[in-house]
Amino acid sequence: MIYYNILTKTNHWPRRVKKIDAVISKILIHKKDLKFINSINYFCNFILANDLFIKSFNKKFNNINKSTDVLTFVSSLNFNNKKKEKYCDIIFSIETILYDAKKNNINFYNHLTHLIIHSFLHINDYVHNKIKDYLIMRNIEINILKQLGINNPY
């Protein structure tokens, strides 16, 4: 099962929460393509924040002193003879997402959809440190976005 909460940390997000909830629901229809595993319970917090908030996490956990569009944190627990559980915090920065969407002439929600898909893949152990891994991840993202009626952002 996949459980999620949406938390807002700035006043720029609340009017968007209902639409974001609908976006997440549409994405989760493709949970097989996103490589979610049935034997794992997922607990995801979508934290809707700003540049200042995300920058502090990026500095603390990645030693990078700048903001970014999204950060994904995952921890796992295994229980004897029970389902494995993953606890996930996905933090988004409104300023960076708005800036990138405008700069690339992409609809805000289409860009956010892409970032959510990207984060879900990270939750399921996908990385993009090597070109081969990047291409695998990118192709999955493009395929899901296409199924959602969203153009290839690359």
Side-chain angles (χ1 to χ4, degrees):
M1 281 302 277
I2 303 165
Y3 306 94
Y4 67 89
N5 295 303
I6 301 172
L7 310 161
T8 61
K9 293 293 185 184
T10 73
N11 60 358
H12 298 286
W13 288 103
R15 65 186 170 95
R16 295 176 168 96
V17 169
K18 188 175 182 180
K19 175 104 179 186
I20 292 168
D21 189 34
V23 166
I24 294 167
S25 294
K26 284 181 185 177
I27 293 169
L28 288 175
I29 291 169
H30 304 278
K31 63 184 177 183
K32 184 177 180 184
D33 294 328
L34 290 162
K35 312 304 181 192
F36 280 100
I37 300 168
N38 287 334
S39 62
I40 297 176
N41 283 325
Y42 296 84
F43 300 91
C44 299
N45 290 314
F46 291 89
I47 303 166
L48 309 176
N50 59 16
D51 278 350
L52 186 62
F53 187 90
I54 206 166
K55 180 180 177 181
S56 68
F57 278 83
N58 209 14
K59 181 174 169 95
K60 182 174 182 175
F61 294 101
N62 297 325
N63 204 27
I64 299 171
N65 192 25
K66 67 178 190 173
S67 61
T68 187
D69 49 8
V70 62
L71 290 173
T72 306
F73 299 96
V74 181
S75 57
S76 299
L77 293 174
N78 294 312
F79 299 102
N80 293 335
N81 299 326
K82 291 192 177 185
K83 280 190 171 187
K84 181 177 180 180
E85 294 183 347
K86 283 193 176 188
Y87 295 88
C88 315
D89 289 322
I90 306 168
I91 307 170
F92 298 93
S93 172
I94 187 75
E95 291 98 345
T96 301
I97 295 169
L98 284 169
Y99 174 80
D100 290 344
K102 184 176 181 178
K103 179 179 82 171
N104 296 309
N105 198 29
I106 301 170
N107 173 279
F108 172 82
Y109 291 103
N110 289 352
H111 185 47
L112 184 63
T113 299
H114 180 204
L115 294 173
I116 294 168
I117 291 168
H118 186 84
S119 294
F120 278 154
L121 289 171
H122 278 309
I123 287 168
N124 290 309
D125 302 321
Y126 281 80
V127 294
H128 44 78
N129 299 334
K130 298 177 185 170
I131 189 69
K132 178 184 172 189
D133 297 330
Y134 165 79
L135 292 173
I136 290 169
M137 211 170 158
R138 185 184 78 166
N139 288 337
I140 294 170
E141 292 169 5
I142 291 168
N143 180 47
I144 295 169
L145 288 167
K146 183 179 179 182
Q147 291 178 62
L148 294 169
I150 298 173
N151 292 331
N152 180 344
Y154 292 99

